[in-house]
Amino acid sequence: MKIAIGADHAGFRLKDEVIEFLKKEGHEVEDFGCHCADSIDYPDYALPVCEQVVAGTADRGILICGTGIGMTIAANKVTGIRCALVHDLFSAKATREHNDSNVLAMGERVIGPGVALEIIKVWLGTAFSEGPRHVNRIQKIKALEDRFAQG
C-alpha cells in the first residue's frame, strides 16, 4: 500500500517513527514533512497528503499534529477525504468498517508511539464493510460535499 504522511512541528517525531514502521511492514511511504520543531501551520501539511489520496496516487494518508484535531479539521475540508481522528483501537477499526476513512489523524501529545503503531496496524488492516447502511451513509457524505463544495 502507498501511504502519504504529513505532520506539523508537534507531530514530526512520531511521524518519523511511523514512517520507519510502515516501511518495515512493506508499505511505500511518501513524506510531506515537516522535519523540525520550528512552528509551522498544519493545513500546509495536511493538504498535500489529502491531494495524493484524492488523486489516487496514495492509497491512504496519515496526519499527525499535537492533538490530531487541527489536521482532522483541515483534511476534512478537502472533497473526497474522510479523515478520522483516532486514539484507540476500537475507533481505528470502526472508522474503516463503517466510515471508509481514507486518512487517519493522530495526536503525538495524546498518544505514544506504541499505541499509534497499533492503531495504524488495525486501521490499515481493516476493510470497509460495504454493507448497505454504511454505503448509504458514505453516499450521503458525498452528497454533502457536492452541496457545499466551492470552486
Side-chain angles (χ1 to χ4, degrees):
M1 199 177 290
K2 184 169 182 187
I3 312 295
I5 189 166
D8 71 358
H9 58 282
F12 84 96
R13 286 180 185 87
L14 180 57
K15 175 185 62 76
D16 290 345
E17 291 187 55
V18 168
I19 290 170
E20 184 179 321
F21 168 76
L22 290 169
K23 288 181 177 179
K24 284 181 183 173
E25 292 288 308
H27 299 287
E28 182 182 345
V29 181
E30 188 164 359
D31 182 359
F32 289 90
C34 82
H35 305 286
C36 68
D38 297 342
S39 184
I40 57 89
D41 298 326
Y42 53 82
D44 298 337
Y45 296 86
L47 181 60
V49 168
C50 293
E51 288 175 328
Q52 294 293 306
V53 173
V54 169
T57 53
D59 300 302
R60 306 251 184 98
I62 297 175
L63 298 169
I64 305 167
C65 63
T67 63
I69 297 167
M71 286 290 201
T72 303
I73 292 169
N76 282 319
K77 299 297 181 187
V78 178
T79 300
I81 294 299
R82 288 177 306 283
C83 180
L85 174 59
V86 176
H87 291 130
D88 64 87
L89 299 177
F90 177 82
S91 298
K93 184 175 183 194
T95 191
R96 283 292 309 134
E97 285 181 342
H98 299 185
N99 312 120
D100 196 20
S101 60
N102 51 12
V103 176
L104 171 68
M106 297 179 291
E108 180 175 325
R109 294 176 179 162
V110 179
I111 57 172
V115 174
L117 300 182
E118 288 299 317
I119 287 168
I120 291 167
K121 197 181 302 183
V122 168
W123 187 72
L124 291 176
T126 302
F128 179 50
S129 73
E130 298 189 36
R133 68 183 178 147
H134 300 303
V135 170
N136 182 53
R137 291 169 184 162
I138 299 302
Q139 289 171 344
K140 288 183 176 191
I141 290 170
K142 288 178 181 175
L144 287 171
E145 287 178 337
D146 293 343
R147 180 175 172 191
F148 290 102
Q150 297 176 357

